[in-house]
Amino acid sequence: MSGSLVVVGTGPGKPELMTPATQAALAAATDLVGYGPYLDRVPVLRADQCRHASDNRVELDRARHALALAASGRQVAVVSGGDPGVFAMAAAIFEAVESGDPVWRTLDIRVEPGVTAMLAAAAEVGAPLGGDFCAISLSDNLKSWATIERRLKAAAEADFVIALYNPASKARSHQLGEAFALLRTVKASDTPVLFVRAAGSADSKVVATLLADADASVADMRTLVIVGASTTRQVGRWIYTPRGAKS
Ligand code: SAH
């Protein structure tokens, strides 16, 4: 039997937020490859399934391992959190294909979409992504801080709602504070800022504040930060961004 590789996302946390297509792909796999905590979210679906848990920081090695398994005839599922194409393994797989064994280009590779953190976080508070928005990862492992600053400034000047992924990690805490300082030079001080921790899971927690008061130490590596546009506002206990710029 020829091998295959599917890249899936577990969604933000709750089992109900994992799509049926992803569940079916996981059930069909002979091998699961992923970061340990994400694999732990996948219930044991068959006794003969091999699990290859690895450290989160070696994504390209993990991608090569998965591709080699598929090339050897295994049915491989690579597991990310959220959506696999958003700051996650799907792009790592194609980077590995691009720089790896030419045979990998002929493999049966597909990607299943998942519920990404910013969608789960937005739903916790209302509809803050109701107008134009963008997503920026604050991790400078794979790109320079100067690039991140340039994109933050451009997004703020264009009045996008900005979803910030990877606002902090054990190794990094200063970036979010610097990002807020930069955004304060462009956006109004009363711009809504939302910290949503463990969105779409049983222990989700929301802190809603304003850009002037936003405290970077509220965020950890399970937090998604949303910085509003000029039209983002509160109605009752919800926060939303109207769909048009004129409203
Ligand atoms: N592929 C993932 C994102 C990976 S980047 C996705 O689509 O969601 C990792 C970052 O995503 C974290 O640092 C955090 O900012 C965010 N994140 C992931 N799951 C989250 C959740 N349940 N709640 C809030 N933020 C989350």
Side-chain angles (χ1 to χ4, degrees), residues 16-38:
E16 309 90 280
L17 293 180
M18 192 189 291
T19 70
T22 292
Q23 289 171 26
L26 288 167
T30 58
D31 295 75
L32 303 185
V33 175
Y35 177 48
Y38 296 146

Side-chain angles (χ1 to χ4, degrees), residues 186-210:
V186 184
K187 286 184 178 275
S189 54
D190 63 352
T191 302
V193 173
L194 305 158
F195 295 87
V196 188
R197 182 168 199 282
S201 78
D203 53 348
S204 68
K205 185 172 171 255
V206 176
V207 173
T209 184
L210 301 176

Side-chain angles (χ1 to χ4, degrees), residues 12 81-83 86-88 116-117 165-167 196-199 221-224:
D83 175 273
V86 177
F87 307 125
T116 188
Y165 282 76
N166 293 306
V196 188
R197 182 168 199 282
M221 58 192 295
R222 289 191 72 198
T223 305
L224 191 286

